[in-house]
Amino acid sequence: ASTQPDVLVGEDAVITIEVSNRGSGAATGVVVEQALPQQFEHPSGTQIEYEVGDLAPGESREVQLMLTAVRPGPTSNRMKARADGDLVVEDDWQIEVVAPELEVVLDGAKRRFLEREATYSLLISNPGTAPAQNVELAAYLPAGFKFVSADNYGEFDPQTRAVHWSL
């Protein structure tokens, strides 16, 4: 089996399975079986069985299994091909499912006197395993606060009382 090195959560992964008969006689009733790891889903469920059919001596057949990545994490999985006459062969495949993960931390004074400025800092980070694309950050000012300024091109919207950053 061959796979891509990693796949993003929500995207499809294609696993290419090549089944070959290297023997001198025909392989009949060839079936590929796969128990899916928890990082993937398939419309057929978690146990997949694909009937390859018969393979003549020296014949190979390629099968593609399309899976949807649903949970981040590395996988190591075993696939089995079996045929009539108690023929069984197993192969392993590995893919890491990656995903961005955003964390935001607000730092600033817990109490302020009326009419005094307060500075608040927002720290956003991605401790995930994939880049986060098109990140937008919004900080909503509570009632009683007046907006003064924001750095890093933050824009204040008085209608929503929010500061927006396009990161």
Side-chain angles (χ1 to χ4, degrees), residues 7-166:
V7 63
L8 189 64
V9 163
E11 292 186 351
D12 291 334
V14 178
I15 299 167
T16 303
I17 306 157
E18 183 178 353
V19 183
S20 300
N21 179 359
R22 295 191 181 136
S24 58
T28 59
V30 179
V31 175
V32 174
E33 297 175 343
Q34 173 66 65
L36 290 185
Q38 65 180 1
Q39 286 86 353
F40 292 98
E41 285 183 351
H42 188 272
S44 299
T46 58
Q47 294 286 90
I48 297 172
E49 189 172 287
Y50 181 81
E51 292 185 24
V52 177
D54 298 343
L55 293 175
E59 183 181 5
S60 294
R61 199 162 299 148
E62 198 173 89
V63 176
Q64 289 192 329
L65 179 61
M66 182 85 69
L67 304 174
T68 302
V70 293
R71 282 187 200 91
T75 64
S76 180
N77 208 4
R78 182 155 284 209
M79 176 176 301
K80 180 173 28 173
R82 60 179 166 78
D84 295 340
D86 294 328
L87 297 173
V88 177
V89 66
E90 295 180 348
D91 192 19
D92 294 329
W93 56 269
Q94 290 86 26
I95 299 179
E96 180 164 1
V97 178
V98 295
E101 182 182 330
L102 296 178
E103 288 183 358
V104 177
V105 176
L106 174 66
D107 186 35
K110 301 271 191 254
R111 295 176 185 232
R112 295 302 301 163
F113 290 103
L114 285 175
E115 303 301 323
R116 295 216 182 143
E117 284 189 17
T119 301
Y120 291 89
S121 299
L122 288 167
L123 174 65
I124 186 166
S125 62
N126 177 6
T129 54
Q133 305 289 330
N134 302 317
V135 177
E136 301 281 331
L137 177 63
Y140 294 88
L141 276 65
F145 278 76
K146 177 182 169 190
F147 175 76
V148 176
S149 68
D151 65 357
N152 295 313
Y153 305 104
E155 296 179 9
F156 181 67
D157 179 357
Q159 297 288 72
T160 60
R161 298 193 40 78
V163 182
H164 296 271
W165 291 269
S166 181

